[in-house]
Short mmCIF file of all heavy atoms in Angstrom, two decimals:
data_model
loop_
_atom_site.label_atom_id
_atom_site.label_comp_id
_atom_site.label_asym_id
_atom_site.label_seq_id
_atom_site.Cartn_x
_atom_site.Cartn_y
_atom_site.Cartn_z
N ARG A 303 12.80 -17.86 24.90
CA ARG A 303 12.09 -17.23 23.79
C ARG A 303 12.07 -15.71 23.98
O ARG A 303 11.78 -15.21 25.08
CB ARG A 303 10.66 -17.76 23.71
CG ARG A 303 9.80 -17.09 22.65
CD ARG A 303 8.35 -17.48 22.84
NE ARG A 303 7.47 -16.69 22.01
CZ ARG A 303 6.84 -17.14 20.92
NH1 ARG A 303 6.98 -18.39 20.56
NH2 ARG A 303 6.06 -16.35 20.22
N GLN A 304 12.35 -14.97 22.89
CA GLN A 304 12.35 -13.51 22.94
C GLN A 304 11.61 -12.97 21.72
O GLN A 304 12.01 -13.20 20.58
CB GLN A 304 13.80 -12.97 22.95
CG GLN A 304 13.91 -11.46 22.89
CD GLN A 304 13.31 -10.80 24.12
OE1 GLN A 304 13.59 -11.18 25.24
NE2 GLN A 304 12.46 -9.82 23.89
N ALA A 305 10.52 -12.25 21.96
CA ALA A 305 9.77 -11.63 20.86
C ALA A 305 10.56 -10.45 20.29
O ALA A 305 11.19 -9.70 21.05
CB ALA A 305 8.40 -11.17 21.34
N ILE A 306 10.53 -10.30 18.97
CA ILE A 306 11.25 -9.21 18.32
C ILE A 306 10.35 -8.56 17.27
O ILE A 306 9.32 -9.11 16.89
CB ILE A 306 12.55 -9.69 17.64
CG1 ILE A 306 12.22 -10.63 16.47
CG2 ILE A 306 13.49 -10.34 18.63
CD1 ILE A 306 13.41 -10.92 15.57
N THR A 307 10.78 -7.39 16.83
CA THR A 307 10.17 -6.72 15.67
C THR A 307 11.21 -6.65 14.58
O THR A 307 12.23 -5.97 14.73
CB THR A 307 9.69 -5.31 16.04
OG1 THR A 307 8.74 -5.40 17.09
CG2 THR A 307 9.06 -4.63 14.84
N GLY A 308 10.98 -7.42 13.52
CA GLY A 308 11.95 -7.48 12.43
C GLY A 308 11.72 -6.40 11.40
O GLY A 308 10.59 -5.94 11.19
N GLY A 309 12.80 -5.99 10.76
CA GLY A 309 12.73 -5.01 9.69
C GLY A 309 12.92 -5.66 8.34
O GLY A 309 12.34 -6.72 8.06
N ALA A 310 13.74 -5.06 7.52
CA ALA A 310 13.96 -5.56 6.16
C ALA A 310 15.00 -6.67 6.17
O ALA A 310 15.90 -6.71 7.00
CB ALA A 310 14.42 -4.43 5.25
N ARG A 311 14.84 -7.58 5.23
CA ARG A 311 15.85 -8.60 5.01
C ARG A 311 16.90 -8.06 4.06
O ARG A 311 16.58 -7.56 2.99
CB ARG A 311 15.22 -9.87 4.43
CG ARG A 311 16.25 -10.97 4.18
CD ARG A 311 15.61 -12.24 3.67
NE ARG A 311 16.62 -13.27 3.43
CZ ARG A 311 16.35 -14.51 3.01
NH1 ARG A 311 15.09 -14.86 2.80
NH2 ARG A 311 17.31 -15.38 2.81
N ILE A 312 18.16 -8.18 4.45
CA ILE A 312 19.27 -7.71 3.65
C ILE A 312 20.16 -8.91 3.37
O ILE A 312 20.94 -9.34 4.24
CB ILE A 312 20.07 -6.59 4.35
CG1 ILE A 312 19.12 -5.46 4.80
CG2 ILE A 312 21.17 -6.05 3.46
CD1 ILE A 312 19.80 -4.40 5.62
N GLU A 313 20.00 -9.49 2.19
CA GLU A 313 20.70 -10.72 1.81
C GLU A 313 20.40 -11.80 2.84
O GLU A 313 19.26 -12.20 3.01
CB GLU A 313 22.20 -10.44 1.65
CG GLU A 313 22.51 -9.45 0.54
CD GLU A 313 23.98 -9.16 0.40
OE1 GLU A 313 24.76 -9.59 1.26
OE2 GLU A 313 24.35 -8.48 -0.57
N ASP A 314 21.42 -12.30 3.58
CA ASP A 314 21.20 -13.38 4.55
C ASP A 314 21.00 -12.84 5.96
O ASP A 314 21.05 -13.60 6.93
CB ASP A 314 22.40 -14.34 4.55
CG ASP A 314 22.53 -15.07 3.23
OD1 ASP A 314 21.50 -15.27 2.57
OD2 ASP A 314 23.66 -15.43 2.85
N TRP A 315 20.76 -11.54 6.08
CA TRP A 315 20.62 -10.92 7.38
C TRP A 315 19.22 -10.34 7.54
O TRP A 315 18.54 -10.04 6.58
CB TRP A 315 21.65 -9.79 7.56
CG TRP A 315 23.07 -10.25 7.45
CD1 TRP A 315 23.84 -10.28 6.32
CD2 TRP A 315 23.88 -10.77 8.50
NE1 TRP A 315 25.08 -10.78 6.60
CE2 TRP A 315 25.14 -11.09 7.93
CE3 TRP A 315 23.68 -10.99 9.86
CZ2 TRP A 315 26.17 -11.62 8.68
CZ3 TRP A 315 24.71 -11.52 10.62
CH2 TRP A 315 25.95 -11.83 10.02
#
Side-chain angles (χ1 to χ4, degrees):
R303 176 192 170 108
Q304 175 64 49
I306 67 168
T307 300
R311 180 177 179 178
I312 307 174
E313 297 179 352
D314 295 332
W315 300 92

